[in-house]
Amino acid sequence: MLENMNEKCAVVGIYGHKEASKLAYFSLHALQHRGQEAAGISSSDGEKLHTIKDRGLVMKVFNEQKLATLSGTNAIGHTRYSTAGDDSILDAQPVFARYDLGEMAIVHNGNLTNADEVRNALIKKGAIFQTFMDTENLIHLIAKSEKEKLLDRIIDAVKRIEGAFSLVFLSRTKMFAMRDRHGFRPLSLGRIANGGYVVASETCAFDLIGAEFIRDVEPGELLIFEQDKAPISVKVFEPTPKKCIFEYVYFARPDSKVFGQSVYQMRKNMGAELSKIRPVEADMVIPVPDGGVPSAIGYSQASGIPYEMGIMRNHYIGRTFIEPTQEMRDLKVKMKLSPMTDIIKGKRVIVIDDSIVRGTTSRRIVKMLKEAGASEVHMRISSPPTTDPCFYGVDTPDKEKLIASNMSTDEICDFIEADSLAYLDSDALLRSVNATTDDYCTACFTGKYIV
Ligand code: AMP
């Protein structure tokens, strides 16, 4: 089984700007929440591609001198989030290759579901792989395609792969951006104020570099960027949208517009829905920072129960999920969140978080609030129980580690020692994000997989 190396990542592409690699760098900063393990940028100067990638945060991987070596008007970048496997730098992106048409680099967000199959077939034909990344399959498929032009080879290659992919390709003179037919992972197109184009996983990158949002790359669409031309659109697949609802629940930044809608507003809607379908009497609503903040605001505004900052977050600790062992995770939760004792002492509090995965965080939070003197702790979750793992690019543990796949809500409530626990239901979640048809993937809550 291939390791899932492209989970929860961010991609960016800058085309036709004299400071392309700098803009890619700033964009990756804005997208750092999507992956903290490794970062990389490839640029093209028309003749050659230049790549720098390494483990660590964007700020650590790059500096002024390094960016200066990434010359050219076009650049693509990536931040990687992966909990699995070897953290070898070989598994950082962009993936670069020399082949018969020249040089290319690829960045990928998502997860290919037929990666093993494709890889085994390629290996049988003599291909040699250097990494565990499913993205490397694409390099081989493009290099081996019989088509003459890179565009046709890319189309050939993406027709062989299945699953979730938002991809950006860089050649010596062109850039290509593509979303799979379901559009699982986001990818937006923008115009840079003083010339050129940008594609990025989230629009918060546009705001930072002064780009204007044009539109999303459509599911199944391939965009071609060529010098002095507006991007050309090719419909590679008939779109059958299944956008990842978890982007709204947890993953994207609240100041981004994802799938055409404000993430902040979607989360506030979830909180408001939660207050309607799972009301409880209390003195205050407090968020688990930062994920629970917008939905706690929504809950408070809709219920009239005052919003308070009851938990302080230490921002200088990485995400708790990063550490692979349970012991380290427990410790990290303690380091990360502390109670505002004066605010919550003697009070009935509603605590809002976006999701419960293993249950470690919620259990610790309830305990912490009780120890700080809260008289009642009511846990409210702004999404349905996470019962099933994601195969399309969000990092969730195996099914047996997902607490909601083994326990009922009442059992989880006992486990986390809360006075009450309630989740948003699927219908209310879909209502919150204005889903009109069956256009969202909700497999993590329903186990209904599409691919
Ligand atoms: P747990 O302690 O395992 O129940 O984790 C729950 C916490 O993890 C919640 O506060 C969520 O905001 C956060 N979370 C949910 N999904 C993910 C994910 N895929 N990666 C990292 N953190 C997550």
Side-chain angles (χ1 to χ4, degrees):
M1 176 71 182
L2 265 189
E3 313 212 27
N4 296 336
M5 282 302 181
N6 305 301
E7 297 160 332
K8 299 205 347 167
C9 302
V11 295
V12 61
I14 306 284
Y15 193 85
H17 192 282
K18 58 183 187 317
E19 306 226 72
S21 61
K22 270 198 191 143
L23 293 192
Y25 166 77
F26 286 119
S27 301
L28 290 182
H29 255 293
L31 300 169
Q32 184 79 80
H33 62 288
R34 297 182 74 89
Q36 299 93 39
E37 268 198 25
I41 296 175
S42 293
S43 72
S44 79
D45 60 15
E47 306 269 310
K48 258 181 83 56
L49 263 56
H50 311 273
T51 298
I52 293 178
K53 56 181 178 176
D54 206 344
R55 269 169 293 186
L57 299 177
V58 178
M59 193 111 92
K60 177 187 159 251
V61 174
F62 297 100
N63 59 29
E64 191 85 38
Q65 286 107 312
K66 284 186 184 165
L67 282 174
T69 67
L70 296 171
S71 56
T73 56
N74 313 325
I76 61 173
H78 188 264
T79 60
R80 178 181 137 212
Y81 186 125
S82 169
T83 56
D86 183 357
D87 61 352
S88 150
I89 152 158
L90 279 178
D91 289 325
Q93 298 199 25
V95 181
F96 167 81
R98 261 185 213 104
Y99 69 123
D100 61 331
L101 298 185
E103 298 185 334
M104 73 176 143
I106 307 182
V107 288
H108 173 200
N109 172 210
N111 238 39
L112 304 184
T113 47
N114 67 340
D116 291 348
E117 210 179 299
V118 171
R119 176 172 290 223
N120 291 338
L122 286 162
I123 289 173
K124 264 201 183 130
K125 288 194 182 144
I128 295 167
F129 282 83
Q130 297 192 25
T131 74
F132 289 113
M133 285 185 289
D134 47 8
T135 315
E136 207 184 345
N137 290 0
L138 277 165
I139 295 273
H140 287 279
L141 291 172
I142 291 170
K144 280 183 189 301
S145 164
E146 315 250 293
K147 298 280 179 359
E148 257 173 51
K149 287 166 70 191
L150 177 58
L151 168 65
D152 298 322
R153 289 190 182 197
I154 290 176
I155 294 174
D156 242 11
V158 294
K159 286 190 169 162
R160 301 267 306 273
I161 60 174
E162 280 163 25
F165 50 89
S166 283
L167 294 160
V168 192
F169 301 81
L170 186 68
S171 73
R172 284 176 294 190
T173 56
K174 292 180 190 164
M175 186 173 89
F176 305 84
M178 161 110 225
R179 257 173 102 198
D180 66 74
R181 74 184 79 207
H182 303 295
F184 284 111
R185 309 258 67 88
L187 191 64
S188 301
L189 170 68
R191 190 180 291 105
I192 303 166
N194 49 357
Y197 290 94
V198 53
V199 287
S201 297
E202 287 183 39
T203 59
C204 60
F206 298 176
D207 300 333
L208 184 64
I209 65 168
E212 174 202 358
F213 171 78
I214 301 177
R215 65 176 177 90
D216 281 346
V217 179
E218 296 298 327
E221 183 186 28
L222 173 66
L223 284 181
I224 307 154
F225 298 83
E226 288 181 75
Q227 209 179 340
D228 303 325
K229 281 192 193 164
I232 300 162
S233 163
V234 178
K235 194 195 223 180
V236 179
F237 300 109
E238 203 49 53
T240 47
K242 282 287 172 198
K243 298 166 281 187
C244 168
I245 203 136
F246 210 70
E247 290 279 349
Y248 286 141
V249 170
Y250 166 78
F251 203 30
R253 235 170 70 159
D255 57 337
S256 284
K257 203 186 251 185
V258 162
F259 309 136
Q261 305 188 96
S262 151
V263 174
Y264 179 66
Q265 189 58 50
M266 298 305 105
R267 288 191 190 152
K268 273 180 71 179
N269 295 350
M270 291 172 206
E273 285 283 351
L274 192 56
S275 81
K276 283 177 208 147
I277 66 168
R278 306 285 182 249
V280 57
E281 256 185 56
D283 301 310
M284 62 180 68
V285 180
I286 67 171
V288 176
D290 293 330
V293 171
S295 39
I297 293 173
Y299 194 111
S300 162
Q301 288 178 354
S303 64
I305 302 172
Y307 174 91
E308 290 286 355
M309 183 169 155
I311 301 172
M312 186 64 210
R313 176 172 169 188
N314 183 335
H315 282 267
Y316 304 97
I317 314 276
R319 287 187 176 189
T320 51
F321 242 60
I322 295 171
E323 297 300 337
T325 65
Q326 190 65 38
E327 232 173 45
M328 275 309 289
R329 256 194 302 273
D330 288 344
L331 185 68
K332 275 209 147 184
V333 175
K334 283 189 208 162
M335 288 164 71
K336 197 163 103 173
L337 302 170
S338 12
M340 304 272 281
T341 309
D342 292 347
I343 307 284
I344 55 189
K345 199 167 184 181
K347 297 292 195 303
R348 299 168 299 168
V349 299
I350 301 172
V351 197
I352 314 272
D353 203 356
D354 53 80
S355 55
I356 297 180
V357 182
R358 296 174 172 88
T360 321
T361 310
S362 310
R363 187 179 155 88
R364 172 68 208 155
I365 283 167
V366 174
K367 191 165 171 233
M368 181 180 89
L369 294 171
K370 290 258 165 125
E371 280 171 4
S375 61
E376 290 173 25
V377 178
H378 301 280
M379 194 85 196
R380 291 292 178 275
I381 304 297
S382 60
S383 63
T386 304
T387 49
D388 292 84
C390 176
F391 299 115
Y392 313 128
V394 172
D395 171 48
T396 38
D398 297 339
K399 193 169 166 75
E400 61 269 20
K401 294 204 186 98
L402 293 169
I403 193 167
S405 89
N406 305 307
M407 289 188 196
S408 67
T409 300
D410 285 346
E411 285 168 338
I412 300 172
C413 184
D414 287 345
F415 173 76
I416 66 172
E417 297 178 28
D419 293 283
S420 76
L421 165 68
Y423 290 88
L424 198 62
D425 63 37
S426 272
D427 286 346
L429 176 62
L430 291 170
R431 252 195 326 272
S432 307
V433 305
N434 306 312
T436 43
T437 51
D438 205 12
D439 55 352
Y440 282 91
C441 174
T442 55
C444 49
F445 306 127
T446 58
K448 285 188 199 140
Y449 298 102
I450 305 108
V451 182

